[in-house]
Amino acid sequence: MDQIIVEGGKRLAGEVVISGAKNAALPILASSLLTDGQNTYSNVPALKDIESILVLLSHLGSRIESNYPFIRIDAAGLNNYDAPYDLVRKMRASILVLGPLLARMKRAKVSLPGGCAIGARPINLHLKGLSLLGAEIELQHGYVEARADRLRGNEIFFDVSTVTGTENLMMAAVLAEGTTVLRNAAREPEVVALAEVLKKMGARISGDGTSVVTIEGVPSLSPVSVSILPDRIEAGTFMIASALTGGEVVVKHCEPEHLGALIHKLRQTGAEIEIGQDRLTVCGADEIVSVDVKTLPYPGFATDMQAQFMVLMCVANGQSVISETIFENRFIHVSELRRMGADITVSGNTAMVRGVPHLSGAPVMATDLRASASLILAGLVAHGQTEISRVYHLDRGYESIERKFAGLGAAIRRVRG
Ligand code: EPU
């Protein structure tokens, strides 16, 4: 298995170009199932998770041409409504085919995704919503089987804000009869990006980006040509890297408006941030100030940035309280950071981080995507060498991560194994 080796101590400087957002691309590629012509996508990141959804779409009968960052998908030949365990277990976001399959094929059989390292991650709210739209749902042998000769609009209230749940319900409701109102809907930019794609296909959606989204069903949708929005989590990871190393990094081709909570927090730590139209320049301070952070649904501080921000707090001056309110087990990076000399105490969903003068390089491994990114960041400021194993987690969600860091002056390399 590949490893990433980082020699700490380099100050990052220069420009980095941000790729398309994984978590926007996944639902948008799944939405191709709603039309029976050729959809064209640009700015699609070359990632393992994107490959996984393409394999699944192809299994369902879609014709796919991929030449990253361009992908063409034609679902005219859709002939299968079964998303099998072997494909879904590789990526839980495969559940995003449930809503569109049900809308287009009137049937869907999708393997239940199960939990992952960061939490149990149930899909009960996806299923409750679909049954309110009139789907008959059965859970058996590890599969969700859903059927509906005709989906009908309804009021759906999400007990908690769910990103892929909102996306699945939007994709089911666009072809339903009548009006659907989603309350306590997720407001993440990726949800808005999907709504924009669906509107371009001819869907009638309003309120996206707010907690009440209204969808009036239409009889059919047409194929589209769209570009995937930039990845705010990748952008945020490089912003933190600059702040962490006292660097000066220009994060290009990003959407500053989607990074409000992080910009606010980084400024409090002492970093200087200049905001451009599609770029941010982040200059790290000589001394990093500790600040408290609590993860929340958008526009709050993203759970997907928590592990990376924690690394900054590990070498800050003072102590910081980090509260994780979205996932119940998203401190899995803590034990690895401790092995690198971090002073962190966890109690329930709260981590107390006391800044230390420096971290020290060590062999480490992580069990989820953002945790792995945090270990690269830790390696950048650690004394000596850090060897990160289980790099496949990074390859699921960060395009060419070591090449991009090396371009900023980091001493980083991949060892194939
Ligand atoms: N939840 C339920 N029932 C449901 C759905 C969710 O209780 O039916 C709970 C979850 O257990 C969690 C909370 O609601 O406590 C929020 O989960 P959400 O459904 O919003 O998460 P998700 O849609 O599965 C997406 C991203 C994650 C990101 C979260 C939160 C995609 C493909 N994934 O997951 O991204 O952390 O939203 O913002 O969009 C990542 O990229 O590394 C990643 C994990």
Side-chain angles (χ1 to χ4, degrees), residues 210-229:
T210 77
S211 58
V212 183
V213 179
T214 304
I215 304 141
E216 284 172 54
V218 295
S220 64
L221 296 170
S222 317
V224 284
S225 175
V226 289
S227 176
I228 304 298
L229 83 165

PDB file of all heavy atoms in Angstrom, residues 210-229:
ATOM      1  N   THR A 210     -31.855  27.770   1.586  1.00  0.00           N
ATOM      2  CA  THR A 210     -32.537  28.085   2.845  1.00  0.00           C
ATOM      3  C   THR A 210     -32.991  26.753   3.445  1.00  0.00           C
ATOM      4  O   THR A 210     -32.844  25.697   2.812  1.00  0.00           O
ATOM      5  CB  THR A 210     -33.778  28.987   2.648  1.00  0.00           C
ATOM      6  OG1 THR A 210     -34.849  28.187   2.136  1.00  0.00           O
ATOM      7  CG2 THR A 210     -33.490  30.140   1.692  1.00  0.00           C
ATOM      8  N   SER A 211     -33.607  26.820   4.643  1.00  0.00           N
ATOM      9  CA  SER A 211     -33.994  25.555   5.259  1.00  0.00           C
ATOM     10  C   SER A 211     -35.361  25.065   4.768  1.00  0.00           C
ATOM     11  O   SER A 211     -35.816  23.998   5.189  1.00  0.00           O
ATOM     12  CB  SER A 211     -33.987  25.694   6.780  1.00  0.00           C
ATOM     13  OG  SER A 211     -34.854  26.726   7.136  1.00  0.00           O
ATOM     14  N   VAL A 212     -36.029  25.834   3.900  1.00  0.00           N
ATOM     15  CA  VAL A 212     -37.300  25.361   3.324  1.00  0.00           C
ATOM     16  C   VAL A 212     -37.173  25.343   1.799  1.00  0.00           C
ATOM     17  O   VAL A 212     -37.067  26.381   1.158  1.00  0.00           O
ATOM     18  CB  VAL A 212     -38.479  26.274   3.739  1.00  0.00           C
ATOM     19  CG1 VAL A 212     -39.786  25.712   3.190  1.00  0.00           C
ATOM     20  CG2 VAL A 212     -38.569  26.387   5.258  1.00  0.00           C
ATOM     21  N   VAL A 213     -37.158  24.144   1.248  1.00  0.00           N
ATOM     22  CA  VAL A 213     -37.002  23.997  -0.199  1.00  0.00           C
ATOM     23  C   VAL A 213     -38.317  23.468  -0.772  1.00  0.00           C
ATOM     24  O   VAL A 213     -38.863  22.483  -0.266  1.00  0.00           O
ATOM     25  CB  VAL A 213     -35.846  23.018  -0.534  1.00  0.00           C
ATOM     26  CG1 VAL A 213     -35.705  22.835  -2.044  1.00  0.00           C
ATOM     27  CG2 VAL A 213     -34.534  23.497   0.064  1.00  0.00           C
ATOM     28  N   THR A 214     -38.813  24.143  -1.794  1.00  0.00           N
ATOM     29  CA  THR A 214     -40.082  23.732  -2.403  1.00  0.00           C
ATOM     30  C   THR A 214     -39.819  23.211  -3.816  1.00  0.00           C
ATOM     31  O   THR A 214     -39.089  23.837  -4.588  1.00  0.00           O
ATOM     32  CB  THR A 214     -41.052  24.944  -2.451  1.00  0.00           C
ATOM     33  OG1 THR A 214     -41.180  25.433  -1.117  1.00  0.00           O
ATOM     34  CG2 THR A 214     -42.416  24.551  -2.971  1.00  0.00           C
ATOM     35  N   ILE A 215     -40.399  22.069  -4.102  1.00  0.00           N
ATOM     36  CA  ILE A 215     -40.179  21.429  -5.404  1.00  0.00           C
ATOM     37  C   ILE A 215     -41.539  21.112  -6.021  1.00  0.00           C
ATOM     38  O   ILE A 215     -42.338  20.384  -5.424  1.00  0.00           O
ATOM     39  CB  ILE A 215     -39.382  20.109  -5.224  1.00  0.00           C
ATOM     40  CG1 ILE A 215     -38.071  20.392  -4.502  1.00  0.00           C
ATOM     41  CG2 ILE A 215     -39.124  19.433  -6.574  1.00  0.00           C
ATOM     42  CD1 ILE A 215     -37.676  19.348  -3.513  1.00  0.00           C
ATOM     43  N   GLU A 216     -41.769  21.665  -7.186  1.00  0.00           N
ATOM     44  CA  GLU A 216     -43.010  21.318  -7.909  1.00  0.00           C
ATOM     45  C   GLU A 216     -42.633  20.309  -8.975  1.00  0.00           C
ATOM     46  O   GLU A 216     -41.792  20.598  -9.837  1.00  0.00           O
ATOM     47  CB  GLU A 216     -43.601  22.552  -8.576  1.00  0.00           C
ATOM     48  CG  GLU A 216     -44.303  23.492  -7.606  1.00  0.00           C
ATOM     49  CD  GLU A 216     -44.698  24.772  -8.311  1.00  0.00           C
ATOM     50  OE1 GLU A 216     -45.392  24.683  -9.355  1.00  0.00           O
ATOM     51  OE2 GLU A 216     -44.274  25.825  -7.843  1.00  0.00           O
ATOM     52  N   GLY A 217     -43.223  19.144  -8.908  1.00  0.00           N
ATOM     53  CA  GLY A 217     -42.865  18.077  -9.853  1.00  0.00           C
ATOM     54  C   GLY A 217     -43.165  18.449 -11.295  1.00  0.00           C
ATOM     55  O   GLY A 217     -44.115  19.193 -11.569  1.00  0.00           O
ATOM     56  N   VAL A 218     -42.334  17.949 -12.191  1.00  0.00           N
ATOM     57  CA  VAL A 218     -42.560  18.138 -13.640  1.00  0.00           C
ATOM     58  C   VAL A 218     -42.560  16.742 -14.287  1.00  0.00           C
ATOM     59  O   VAL A 218     -42.034  15.793 -13.696  1.00  0.00           O
ATOM     60  CB  VAL A 218     -41.457  19.033 -14.271  1.00  0.00           C
ATOM     61  CG1 VAL A 218     -41.503  20.456 -13.725  1.00  0.00           C
ATOM     62  CG2 VAL A 218     -40.069  18.422 -14.078  1.00  0.00           C
ATOM     63  N   PRO A 219     -43.143  16.604 -15.498  1.00  0.00           N
ATOM     64  CA  PRO A 219     -43.228  15.260 -16.094  1.00  0.00           C
ATOM     65  C   PRO A 219     -41.888  14.692 -16.533  1.00  0.00           C
ATOM     66  O   PRO A 219     -41.659  13.486 -16.456  1.00  0.00           O
ATOM     67  CB  PRO A 219     -44.132  15.456 -17.315  1.00  0.00           C
ATOM     68  CG  PRO A 219     -44.737  16.813 -17.173  1.00  0.00           C
ATOM     69  CD  PRO A 219     -43.882  17.611 -16.257  1.00  0.00           C
ATOM     70  N   SER A 220     -40.989  15.551 -17.016  1.00  0.00           N
ATOM     71  CA  SER A 220     -39.696  15.004 -17.464  1.00  0.00           C
ATOM     72  C   SER A 220     -38.632  16.089 -17.412  1.00  0.00           C
ATOM     73  O   SER A 220     -38.938  17.285 -17.283  1.00  0.00           O
ATOM     74  CB  SER A 220     -39.809  14.477 -18.899  1.00  0.00           C
ATOM     75  OG  SER A 220     -40.085  15.562 -19.755  1.00  0.00           O
ATOM     76  N   LEU A 221     -37.384  15.662 -17.509  1.00  0.00           N
ATOM     77  CA  LEU A 221     -36.248  16.593 -17.423  1.00  0.00           C
ATOM     78  C   LEU A 221     -35.344  16.384 -18.637  1.00  0.00           C
ATOM     79  O   LEU A 221     -35.346  15.305 -19.248  1.00  0.00           O
ATOM     80  CB  LEU A 221     -35.462  16.330 -16.134  1.00  0.00           C
ATOM     81  CG  LEU A 221     -36.227  16.591 -14.828  1.00  0.00           C
ATOM     82  CD1 LEU A 221     -35.441  16.061 -13.628  1.00  0.00           C
ATOM     83  CD2 LEU A 221     -36.506  18.081 -14.635  1.00  0.00           C
ATOM     84  N   SER A 222     -34.555  17.408 -18.947  1.00  0.00           N
ATOM     85  CA  SER A 222     -33.661  17.316 -20.118  1.00  0.00           C
ATOM     86  C   SER A 222     -32.198  17.312 -19.682  1.00  0.00           C
ATOM     87  O   SER A 222     -31.860  17.898 -18.638  1.00  0.00           O
ATOM     88  CB  SER A 222     -33.844  18.528 -21.021  1.00  0.00           C
ATOM     89  OG  SER A 222     -35.192  18.818 -21.168  1.00  0.00           O
ATOM     90  N   PRO A 223     -31.330  16.722 -20.501  1.00  0.00           N
ATOM     91  CA  PRO A 223     -29.906  16.670 -20.148  1.00  0.00           C
ATOM     92  C   PRO A 223     -29.277  18.066 -20.105  1.00  0.00           C
ATOM     93  O   PRO A 223     -29.797  19.001 -20.707  1.00  0.00           O
ATOM     94  CB  PRO A 223     -29.283  15.865 -21.284  1.00  0.00           C
ATOM     95  CG  PRO A 223     -30.388  15.276 -22.053  1.00  0.00           C
ATOM     96  CD  PRO A 223     -31.620  16.041 -21.774  1.00  0.00           C
ATOM     97  N   VAL A 224     -28.159  18.150 -19.382  1.00  0.00           N
ATOM     98  CA  VAL A 224     -27.511  19.457 -19.182  1.00  0.00           C
ATOM     99  C   VAL A 224     -26.006  19.359 -19.398  1.00  0.00           C
ATOM    100  O   VAL A 224     -25.428  18.267 -19.456  1.00  0.00           O
ATOM    101  CB  VAL A 224     -27.733  19.961 -17.737  1.00  0.00           C
ATOM    102  CG1 VAL A 224     -29.128  20.479 -17.540  1.00  0.00           C
ATOM    103  CG2 VAL A 224     -27.381  18.890 -16.713  1.00  0.00           C
ATOM    104  N   SER A 225     -25.405  20.545 -19.445  1.00  0.00           N
ATOM    105  CA  SER A 225     -23.952  20.636 -19.481  1.00  0.00           C
ATOM    106  C   SER A 225     -23.562  21.567 -18.333  1.00  0.00           C
ATOM    107  O   SER A 225     -24.018  22.715 -18.298  1.00  0.00           O
ATOM    108  CB  SER A 225     -23.569  21.233 -20.831  1.00  0.00           C
ATOM    109  OG  SER A 225     -22.202  21.435 -20.865  1.00  0.00           O
ATOM    110  N   VAL A 226     -22.811  21.070 -17.350  1.00  0.00           N
ATOM    111  CA  VAL A 226     -22.525  21.873 -16.157  1.00  0.00           C
ATOM    112  C   VAL A 226     -21.076  21.695 -15.687  1.00  0.00           C
ATOM    113  O   VAL A 226     -20.427  20.692 -15.975  1.00  0.00           O
ATOM    114  CB  VAL A 226     -23.452  21.493 -14.972  1.00  0.00           C
ATOM    115  CG1 VAL A 226     -24.859  21.946 -15.199  1.00  0.00           C
ATOM    116  CG2 VAL A 226     -23.399  20.020 -14.659  1.00  0.00           C
ATOM    117  N   SER A 227     -20.633  22.708 -14.938  1.00  0.00           N
ATOM    118  CA  SER A 227     -19.296  22.653 -14.343  1.00  0.00           C
ATOM    119  C   SER A 227     -19.450  22.457 -12.829  1.00  0.00           C
ATOM    120  O   SER A 227     -20.349  23.041 -12.212  1.00  0.00           O
ATOM    121  CB  SER A 227     -18.586  23.984 -14.649  1.00  0.00           C
ATOM    122  OG  SER A 227     -17.348  24.015 -14.015  1.00  0.00           O
ATOM    123  N   ILE A 228     -18.594  21.644 -12.256  1.00  0.00           N
ATOM    124  CA  ILE A 228     -18.683  21.350 -10.811  1.00  0.00           C
ATOM    125  C   ILE A 228     -18.020  22.487 -10.025  1.00  0.00           C
ATOM    126  O   ILE A 228     -16.923  22.929 -10.358  1.00  0.00           O
ATOM    127  CB  ILE A 228     -17.968  20.012 -10.486  1.00  0.00           C
ATOM    128  CG1 ILE A 228     -18.545  18.853 -11.327  1.00  0.00           C
ATOM    129  CG2 ILE A 228     -18.034  19.705  -8.989  1.00  0.00           C
ATOM    130  CD1 ILE A 228     -20.003  18.543 -11.103  1.00  0.00           C
ATOM    131  N   LEU A 229     -18.680  22.933  -8.961  1.00  0.00           N
ATOM    132  CA  LEU A 229     -18.140  24.046  -8.191  1.00  0.00           C
ATOM    133  C   LEU A 229     -16.857  23.631  -7.454  1.00  0.00           C
ATOM    134  O   LEU A 229     -16.619  22.439  -7.246  1.00  0.00           O
ATOM    135  CB  LEU A 229     -19.176  24.596  -7.208  1.00  0.00           C
ATOM    136  CG  LEU A 229     -19.363  23.919  -5.855  1.00  0.00           C
ATOM    137  CD1 LEU A 229     -20.136  24.808  -4.918  1.00  0.00           C
ATOM    138  CD2 LEU A 229     -20.084  22.607  -6.018  1.00  0.00           C
TER     139      LEU A 229
END
